[in-house]
Amino acid sequence: MFMTTGYALLTPGRKLEPWTFERRDLRPDDVRIRITYCGVCHTDLHAIEGATEVPLVPGHEFVGEVLAVGPEVTAFKVGDPVAVGNIVDSCGKCVACLDGEETYCLEFPTLTYGGVDRHDGTPRYGAYSHEMVVRDHFVYPLPESLDPAGVAPLMCAGITVWQPLHRLGVTSGTRVGVVGLGGLGHLAVKFAKALGASVAVFTTSPAKRDDALALGADEVVVSTSPDEMNAHALAFDVIIDTASGEHDISPYVLTLDFDGTICMIGIPPRYEVDSMALLRGRRRLTASGSGGVRDTREMLAFAATHGITADVEVLPAPQVQVALDRLARNDVRWRFVLDFGSD
Amino acid sequence: MFMTTGYALLTPGRKLEPWTFERRDLRPDDVRIRITYCGVCHTDLHAIEGATEVPLVPGHEFVGEVLAVGPEVTAFKVGDPVAVGNIVDSCGKCVACLDGEETYCLEFPTLTYGGVDRHDGTPRYGAYSHEMVVRDHFVYPLPESLDPAGVAPLMCAGITVWQPLHRLGVTSGTRVGVVGLGGLGHLAVKFAKALGASVAVFTTSPAKRDDALALGADEVVVSTSPDEMNAHALAFDVIIDTASGEHDISPYVLTLDFDGTICMIGIPPRYEVDSMALLRGRRRLTASGSGGVRDTREMLAFAATHGITADVEVLPAPQVQVALDRLARNDVRWRFVLDFGSD
């Protein structure tokens, strides 16, 4: 074992503090990574505010540099730039894992933080820290052409919106609606546009109109305006709903064309939809969370080809509390990234 | 106008009575039909019990013989055996109608009973009667190889389950689950088997096991048994849920494989599903109601090719009350059909 430093919730609340803790020695298939940038995801905020077990070290979308590799690792060498997302291990044997869908591992994947390592049972501490050890299968080469700080959020927010766009066959001419313009939504706009779709952003904030258009959206629909919503009946093939709070999705469903699909990214306890909104159009409701290794590789290759990164505000890691407090107020455009090379 | 006789709800309640009423004179594109058999659908029972306007003449799945045609009708002639379902007109101009999806007419289709004729505003009276007038576009040739009484329920129950099976791509090797074994469910089993699928019936009634197997189902899953349900995790590609009452669909959703789809036929006010059941498998929830002219034609052709009709219990039309009362107790295997040629 070796020691590293990071930021942890040590007592319940919302205040993270500097903390020094142990990382495991390398197993044969492990990669030791010096973390340079880590994104600040809404999930981190929820995990902190809902924490029942401490210490909690958040952080599950990061990039860095390989410091060492285990003896069986062939895909990486010391000095390689790499990226890691929100899962770091899985059973590897179930139908989901064998299909490259590790996110849906039937034994549940090992998350980057929260829970325990599936082999030695030690707690998983996240990437608000200077070093981490990750099984090689869940480490990805960092595309050299992309800004590393902007790649970090691709590893959670990016793959989470890429996966349904890709799976639902979004391509040239597809009409895509994106509900919510934030860390997830702004990447959904970029990916959908790069896939060739026409893209509308649904927002409750008319003030975000210019932002959405600047990101490449073709139009903006103010979802609190019945007139604007009615004018978009049957207007979309696919809607990616990135809004995190509970909200009535039926008005969005009615903007789907026949056989259209709305994909939920947020996770309230239940999804509910007006039955006639779904039935009279044979529309489909689905949900998606992150993506497996195969899709993550494809997402990174696509991002590199199209020059897609997140729009980020980089803060020195010691300012983690500023990032969390501003994120809690939705005061971010569009993702905070903590710089672990500067402290 | 001309007079016909049938059975109507004349005062709120559940008792139908013989009634004599007017049908319109033929418009240029109308077909006058002598009704021979009319199915008794659960929807009829709901319409009767919930009726706020009387007289109500139920009946929306029937077969008969052409008695006369308007001057512009070319597809039918006097004496042709024909079949009609639950819609008898639509705007003909909206994107849905132009796409052969008249069920989803944006101006709402004219139903076989309930509401009014879209041209002259007269009340629509259904097919618990001896004669009806229907616009030619919504009249279908009755396949001669099939038993007419068994075809009547195909026109509502049949198309309602055929449409999602067809749209969701059920074919050889598809693993289909059917929730509920009744008028809809027994036809879903027949169509899915004929499409080449393996079929399981979910039922709360272990007593229906032999019936399901006799209909061609490959297996029966007792949905009240957690052991049986758990043994079928990830077992299905498509589930057709024909249960009419409100019920928790999440246990069924968990038996879908990754990217599988559950299609709801019943119409509670809202569809609800546990979010993780949908998300952890990227499963899809959809709904379907009946089908348009194109799909109905395909359904009838498929039924003729594969010799599929509903399993029916034929009652003389004057016994309509017996049919309704037994249907209210679910005492039917699997569809009542009223014989209007015998009274």
Side-chain angles (χ1 to χ4, degrees), chain A residues 95-96 101 103-106 108-109 163 167-168 234 248 250 258-259 261 264-276 278-289 295, chain B residues 95-96 101 103-106 108-109 163 167-168 234 248 250 258-259 261 264-276 278-289 295:
Chain A
V95 290
E101 302 276 17
T103 315
Y104 302 116
C105 172
L106 299 188
F108 209 81
Q163 211 286 333
R167 169 173 62 107
L168 295 171
L234 303 173
D248 184 6
S250 301
F258 298 104
D259 299 304
T261 302
M264 307 302 296
I265 304 296
I267 315 178
R270 298 177 76 76
Y271 299 122
E272 293 185 27
V273 61
D274 176 79
S275 55
M276 292 307 281
L278 205 67
L279 186 150
R280 286 196 59 78
R282 297 180 314 214
R283 296 159 175 131
R284 305 179 196 199
L285 167 65
T286 186
S288 188
D295 285 329
Chain B
V95 292
E101 300 279 16
T103 315
Y104 301 117
C105 173
L106 298 188
F108 209 81
Q163 211 287 333
R167 170 172 62 106
L168 295 171
L234 300 173
D248 185 5
S250 301
F258 298 103
D259 298 305
T261 301
M264 307 301 295
I265 304 297
I267 315 180
R270 300 178 74 77
Y271 299 123
E272 293 185 24
V273 59
D274 177 77
S275 54
M276 292 307 281
L278 205 66
L279 187 149
R280 286 196 60 77
R282 298 181 313 214
R283 296 159 176 130
R284 304 179 196 199
L285 167 65
T286 188
S288 190
D295 285 329

Side-chain angles (χ1 to χ4, degrees), chain B residues 173-251:
Chain B
T174 307
R175 300 162 299 166
V176 172
V178 174
V179 179
L181 193 60
L184 291 154
H186 93 286
L187 284 170
V189 172
K190 291 189 182 194
F191 278 121
K193 283 303 296 180
L195 284 162
S198 61
V199 178
V201 168
F202 292 98
T203 179
T204 56
S205 314
K208 288 191 176 176
R209 186 180 298 271
D210 290 344
D211 289 329
L213 298 176
L215 283 163
D218 298 281
E219 62 174 330
V220 175
V221 183
V222 177
S223 55
T224 50
S225 159
D227 284 350
E228 289 199 32
M229 292 297 278
N230 289 337
H232 289 82
L234 300 173
F236 301 104
D237 304 302
V238 170
I239 293 174
I240 306 294
D241 185 336
T242 73
S244 57
E246 288 204 42
H247 57 287
D248 185 5
I249 67 168
S250 301

Side-chain angles (χ1 to χ4, degrees), chain B residues 37-41 60-63 83-87 140-163 183-184 186-191 289-292 295-312 334-337:
Chain B
Y37 296 102
C38 180
V40 179
C41 177
H60 64 192
E61 51 179 40
F62 67 96
V63 299
V84 176
N86 73 333
I87 63 175
Y140 305 83
L142 177 66
E144 295 193 10
S145 61
L146 299 177
D147 171 54
V151 171
L154 295 184
M155 302 308 295
C156 174
I159 182 61
T160 298
V161 297
W162 159 262
Q163 211 287 333
L184 291 154
H186 93 286
L187 284 170
V189 172
K190 291 189 182 194
F191 278 121
S290 174
D295 285 329
T296 303
R297 287 181 179 153
E298 289 183 20
M299 179 276 295
L300 283 171
F302 186 88
T305 300
H306 294 272
I308 293 174
T309 54
D311 287 8
V312 299
W334 300 103
R335 197 76 153 184
F336 284 115
V337 167

